[in-house]
């Protein structure tokens, strides 16, 4: 199954509806980082909401950079994306393993802990936009709801879910997000609150119904605009030139020290499994 994001307007054009299936993206992240179930859920939920956030960027070239920096055992979650919905992400401690919550769910809030969520959007030549808010509970959905409300003055309702099977693979991941437009009426706000109660297990709904099935079952009668479909993907944009830029910023002295000790400079990309190796000659070349 391919990743999918579907957007349209609902409830008399007063709410923007986004439904995401990010199962494949989460499985790619699990494969790259060897994530534990709780780390998969934390990174997967963040990548899902960041895919939604990237779909709001004005141009395909605009970039998004999000960190969820909590004090829990998972450490920091980092997710990057762009207007083309090419997403990538990483966590500090991919192997973190903590007990399930009493209700049997993965304890994402316990793994993330308390801290801050920061969003940077870089848009062409303009100054990057940067916003930040304190985490509510580390469960990601509420944290981003608060972020949107205080930093972007946009009331949104967010349901996110990542379900991990017994083999450690993701069997269903995605989200349902309803964003209120400025003229949303009380009557429709109540409707949205009620419909969101259906998505406490959104990962199971993605697994069993898929994006189209969710629309059919819950939103068909309420759609008031055309449906636009996107194909997000896990894609790292690292390259040897990009890594060269990072190495140059470290300074020649630092690189010479590494060459002295290790014989080469090895750089592992944070977001994919690519490794970049620079020999003594390559390093000399950088400074020509
Ligand atoms: Zn990479």
């Amino acid at each position: 199954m391919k990743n999918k994001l579907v957007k349209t307007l609902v409830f008399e054009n007063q709410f923007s509806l986004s439904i995401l299936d990010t199962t494949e993206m989460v499985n790619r992240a699990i494969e790259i980082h060897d994530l534990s179930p709780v780390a998969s859920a934390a990174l997967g939920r963040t990548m899902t909401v960041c895919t939604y956030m990237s779909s709001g960027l004005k141009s395909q070239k605009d970039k998004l950079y999000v960190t969820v920096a909590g004090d829990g055992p998972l450490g920091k979650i980092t997710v990057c994306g762009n207007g083309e919905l090419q997403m990538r992400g990483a966590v500090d401690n991919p192997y973190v393993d903590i007990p399930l919550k009493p209700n049997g769910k993965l304890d994402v809030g316990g793994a993330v802990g308390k801290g801050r969520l920061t969003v940077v959007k870089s848009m062409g030549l303009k100054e990057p936009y940067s916003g930040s808010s304190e985490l509510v509970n580390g469960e990601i959905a509420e944290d981003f709801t608060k972020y949107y409300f205080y930093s972007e003055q946009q009331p949104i309702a967010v349901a996110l879910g990542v379900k991990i099977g017994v083999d450690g693979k993701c069997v269903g991941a995605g989200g349902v997000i309803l964003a209120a437009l400025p003229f949303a009426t009380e009557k429709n706000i109540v409707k949205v609150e009620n419909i969101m109660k259906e998505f406490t297990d959104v990962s199971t709904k993605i697994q069993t119904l898929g994006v189209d099935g969710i629309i059919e079952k819950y939103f068909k009668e309420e759609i008031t605009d055309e449906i636009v479909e996107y194909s997000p993907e896990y894609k790292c944009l690292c390259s040897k030139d990009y890594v060269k830029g990072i190495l140059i910023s470290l300074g020649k002295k630092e690189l010479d020290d590494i060459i002295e000790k290790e014989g080469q400079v090895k750089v592992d990309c944070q977001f994919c499994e690519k490794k970049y190796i620079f020999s003594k000659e390559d390093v000399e070349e950088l400074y020509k």
Side-chain angles (χ1 to χ4, degrees):
M1 277 297 281
K2 282 282 167 203
N3 300 305
K4 190 166 171 173
L5 161 61
V6 154
K7 294 181 94 159
T8 187
L9 295 174
V10 289
F11 301 119
E12 303 166 76
N13 284 351
Q14 293 175 12
F15 284 82
S16 133
L17 167 69
S18 301
I19 308 179
L20 300 108
D21 179 345
T22 52
T23 311
E24 190 196 33
M25 187 186 289
V26 175
N27 272 322
R28 186 77 187 107
I30 292 172
E31 201 177 274
I32 291 168
H33 302 297
D34 199 13
L35 300 166
S36 70
V38 73
S40 307
L43 179 58
R45 288 182 196 176
T46 310
M47 290 192 79
T48 301
V49 70
C50 287
T51 302
Y52 164 73
M53 202 178 261
S54 295
S55 75
L57 292 169
K58 299 275 183 296
S59 137
Q60 293 211 324
K61 288 206 174 76
D62 290 352
K63 292 189 188 84
L64 179 73
Y65 181 82
V66 173
T67 56
V68 177
D71 62 1
L74 181 70
K76 191 170 70 183
I77 304 170
T78 307
V79 174
C80 305
N82 61 24
E84 281 188 74
L85 308 189
Q86 296 168 320
M87 309 300 298
R88 57 202 190 279
V91 298
D92 283 349
N93 300 309
Y95 313 126
V96 62
D97 184 19
I98 57 170
L100 295 175
K101 291 201 280 195
N103 65 5
K105 291 199 170 184
L106 293 164
D107 190 3
V108 172
V112 172
K114 292 188 175 68
R116 284 193 88 74
L117 144 61
T118 305
V119 173
V120 178
K121 293 177 189 175
S122 79
M123 296 161 288
L125 297 172
K126 275 188 278 171
E127 270 301 284
Y129 160 89
S130 165
S132 162
S133 66
E134 207 162 316
L135 299 178
V136 177
N137 55 12
E139 293 280 338
I140 308 302
E142 290 88 338
D143 305 317
F144 278 86
T145 304
K146 179 177 171 182
Y147 165 79
Y148 267 96
F149 190 78
Y150 288 105
S151 289
E152 307 211 357
Q153 286 77 48
Q154 165 97 83
I156 65 170
V158 183
L160 300 171
V162 173
K163 193 170 167 184
I164 304 297
V166 283
D167 60 355
K169 289 210 177 85
C170 175
V171 293
V176 173
I177 299 171
L178 279 154
L181 299 175
F183 42 84
T185 59
E186 191 58 37
K187 181 190 82 179
N188 283 326
I189 290 171
V190 171
K191 278 193 188 172
V192 164
E193 284 168 357
N194 283 327
I195 211 157
M196 287 308 284
K197 289 180 191 147
E198 303 282 347
F199 298 107
T200 52
D201 61 340
V202 65
S203 54
T204 304
K205 291 207 163 58
I206 292 288
Q207 181 190 11
T208 54
L209 301 172
V211 169
D212 297 336
I214 291 175
I215 289 186
E216 183 70 27
K217 185 164 177 190
Y218 297 98
F219 295 102
K220 202 180 167 196
E221 308 294 319
E222 306 296 349
I223 292 174
T224 44
D225 196 18
E226 66 171 322
I227 296 177
V228 186
E229 205 178 303
Y230 303 83
S231 303
E233 60 177 332
Y234 192 109
K235 185 164 181 164
C236 190
L237 302 172
C238 66
S239 65
K240 191 141 189 171
D241 279 344
Y242 174 73
V243 177
K244 276 182 189 168
I246 296 172
L247 290 185
I248 290 170
S249 71
L250 281 178
K252 185 146 194 319
K253 169 84 179 64
E254 178 86 26
L255 297 178
D256 284 342
D257 285 351
I258 301 172
I259 295 274
E260 180 95 0
K261 273 192 224 123
E262 328 251 337
Q264 59 184 17
V265 180
K266 204 173 103 191
V267 181
D268 294 318
C269 174
Q270 183 193 0
F271 298 112
C272 71
E273 62 265 272
K274 274 196 208 121
K275 292 184 197 321
Y276 295 90
I277 305 213
F278 291 80
S279 66
K280 191 171 194 297
E281 292 72 35
D282 293 334
V283 170
E284 295 295 332
E285 190 72 22
L286 289 181
Y287 286 90
K288 269 192 181 155

